[in-house]
Amino acid sequence: MKLIITDIENFSIPVEGEYKVISPKGDIRCCIGCFGCWVKTPGRCVLLDGYQDTGIEMGKCTELILVSRCYYGSVSPFVKMVQDRAISYIHPDFVMRKGEMHHKRRYQNVITLSSHLYGENITEDEKETARALLQANADNYDGVVKSVSFYPSVEQLEDIVL
Amino acid sequence: MKIALINGSPKGKNSASHTLLEDVKEYLGQRADVATYLCNTPVISQENIEKLVQADAWVFAYPLYVDGIPGHLLSCLSLLEQARIQKPQICVYGIVNCGFYEGEQADLALKILQNWCKKTGFAWGGGIGVGGGGGLDMMPKMESGKGPKAPIEKSMEELANAILKKKTRDNEYVSVAMPRFLYQMGAQMGWRQQIRANGGKVRDLRRKGS
């Protein structure tokens, strides 16, 4: 299953195969740093606003696709809030990976990550940061990067198939 | 000189970001007019934006969230960009604390703030990635140069001096003064204590949500 996290409200990009889309529907609460998703309700965020199960969905997916406006080399606040609320995908304990401390797996699926970032005037520095950021996400999820693509406007996304 | 300390942790005063900013504040002492702001929601008030504009330097402290800047703070940064503040002399510094041992893992969260500076026209003064941030707010204050926080306190002192001189520095990385395996052991014992305190069992830590 492909899991798509996007800040596009009326998401209509064609997707091949089975997929699920998480897009802005009602207000999202930001992560409050309580770690309840690790030590209170393991696997699920304690904030019940409709976005609490992203970690579980990540445990079922083969691909994670971020479709977002680029903010300074990061994904958008909405997409980032969804990601912040989904750290339950990983286990709180640490392991060493590539000589650095990372979190242990909770699930056995290996996620292939890609990001499709749109926006006017995305600078070379921002592109470099965005590429490194997705690689860092892959290292932390113990997954692999498929691609990072940039588009000068949201309309340009109409021509792609995910 | 007016300095704004901006705490970007959702946990406010109960956070490592607060602890680090308190260290910076202590080292700044009476040498500057220091005010503290909290950015713990996706919105920053117009009143706070107007106050921030009066400052000569902004020091952001925030936790590393999924390799980057927490979503709510990213939203505040975007609102500050939209405010179109025309004060290129404002010098911005960043302090990122991460739960991993290696401060270097905060690198991208600093780079994003650096990219934001380029977009908004503010001057980038440099940042510090702090590793081993998981227990910082629980560590007792010790005699200067002593204890696991000593290298972090030293880097906060150096940052305070750089801010006062409006000096630009390369990003730096620091960690707690304890072996990595001990930090790991302490953190993992902490998770086990917390899940038991919540009425769960240690094996629940690996439970898969359904």
Side-chain angles (χ1 to χ4, degrees):
Chain A
M1 185 262 285
K2 292 176 179 173
L3 180 64
I4 297 160
I5 306 176
T6 181
D7 53 12
I8 300 172
E9 283 184 37
N10 302 308
F11 182 83
S12 58
I13 299 170
V15 185
E16 277 178 3
E18 194 190 342
Y19 67 96
K20 185 180 171 85
V21 179
I22 298 175
S23 60
K25 285 189 177 61
D27 288 340
I28 182 169
R29 293 183 64 188
C30 59
C31 171
I32 54 171
C34 71
F35 296 115
C37 60
W38 280 344
V39 297
K40 226 177 213 172
T41 56
R44 174 176 280 123
C45 177
V46 297
L47 305 174
L48 306 179
D49 60 354
Y51 295 97
Q52 64 271 18
D53 291 334
T54 310
I56 297 170
E57 297 299 338
M58 284 175 68
K60 296 175 191 165
C61 79
T62 50
E63 274 195 51
L64 176 66
I65 304 172
L66 308 175
V67 182
S68 171
R69 179 173 284 280
C70 184
Y71 279 68
Y72 326 116
S74 169
V75 290
S76 66
F78 173 80
V79 173
K80 189 62 179 31
M81 281 188 223
V82 174
Q83 280 192 289
D84 294 346
R85 296 271 304 279
I87 59 162
S88 63
Y89 172 66
I90 46 180
H91 187 290
D93 281 355
F94 293 125
V95 288
M96 293 300 291
R97 221 175 275 143
K98 293 185 179 177
E100 282 185 333
M101 191 176 263
H102 291 287
H103 286 286
K104 211 163 114 177
R105 289 182 157 276
R106 182 185 301 276
Y107 298 93
Q108 290 313 307
N109 62 323
V110 177
I111 301 178
T112 300
L113 293 97
S114 53
S115 59
H116 296 265
L117 304 171
Y118 63 89
E120 308 74 28
N121 310 315
I122 303 175
T123 65
E124 284 307 313
D125 284 340
E126 288 171 333
K127 287 179 182 176
E128 192 186 322
T129 303
R131 289 187 194 103
L133 192 58
L134 199 70
Q135 184 58 59
N137 286 175
D139 291 342
N140 271 316
Y141 296 149
D142 203 7
V144 289
V145 169
K146 183 179 174 185
S147 62
V148 180
S149 311
F150 302 96
Y151 307 84
S153 70
V154 68
E155 288 77 24
Q156 302 280 318
L157 288 162
E158 288 167 8
D159 302 331
I160 65 167
V161 177
L162 296 174
Chain B
M1 182 180 192
K2 284 188 172 177
I3 299 171
L5 304 181
I6 305 164
N7 179 351
S9 169
K11 290 169 25 177
K13 287 190 173 179
N14 300 313
S15 65
S17 302
H18 174 77
T19 305
L20 293 165
L21 285 179
E22 283 297 297
D23 285 343
V24 173
K25 193 174 173 184
E26 189 182 320
Y27 291 120
L28 289 170
Q30 301 301 312
R31 295 181 289 172
D33 177 4
V34 181
T36 305
Y37 299 86
L38 193 57
C39 268
N40 63 343
T41 71
V43 179
I44 182 164
S45 68
Q46 189 57 35
E47 187 191 346
N48 274 347
I49 292 177
E50 282 164 20
K51 284 181 188 164
L52 282 170
V53 171
Q54 306 304 317
D56 304 291
W58 296 357
V59 186
F60 286 92
Y62 47 98
L64 182 75
Y65 269 25
V66 195
D67 308 299
I69 292 185
H72 70 274
L73 182 58
L74 204 54
S75 170
C76 292
L77 292 176
S78 171
L79 292 172
L80 284 164
E81 183 195 353
Q82 287 165 40
R84 296 183 183 280
I85 301 162
Q86 303 297 323
K87 271 190 82 177
Q89 65 272 34
I90 291 176
C91 198
V92 175
Y93 297 86
I95 305 168
V96 180
N97 68 276
C98 69
F100 299 123
Y101 183 81
E102 306 86 11
E104 287 81 357
Q105 293 209 46
D107 177 47
L108 292 171
L110 289 172
K111 290 250 171 73
I112 295 166
L113 189 63
Q114 209 167 339
N115 292 339
W116 173 79
C117 281
K118 282 187 186 156
K119 216 117 217 187
T120 51
F122 298 128
W124 173 245
I128 300 178
V130 179
L136 277 188
D137 51 332
M138 290 176 279
M139 287 178 193
K141 187 90 186 154
M142 296 179 82
E143 192 187 325
S144 179
K146 300 269 165 68
K149 259 187 75 187
I152 297 169
E153 287 167 352
K154 186 169 176 284
S155 66
M156 293 304 125
E157 183 178 12
E158 288 167 1
L159 179 68
N161 290 330
I163 296 166
L164 288 167
K165 291 176 189 154
K166 293 199 89 173
K167 204 171 142 188
T168 301
R169 312 181 321 155
D170 288 337
N171 293 346
E172 290 181 2
Y173 306 95
V174 66
S175 189
V176 285
M178 68 169 75
R180 186 158 54 187
F181 81 92
L182 267 185
Y183 177 75
Q184 178 171 353
M185 204 187 285
Q188 295 185 180
M189 275 170 60
W191 301 127
R192 280 150 183 76
Q193 280 168 1
Q194 286 184 56
I195 200 149
R196 281 197 207 101
N198 289 327
K201 295 194 164 57
V202 171
R203 66 169 181 267
D204 292 331
L205 285 174
R206 58 172 191 270
R207 199 165 74 200
K208 293 174 175 61
S210 56

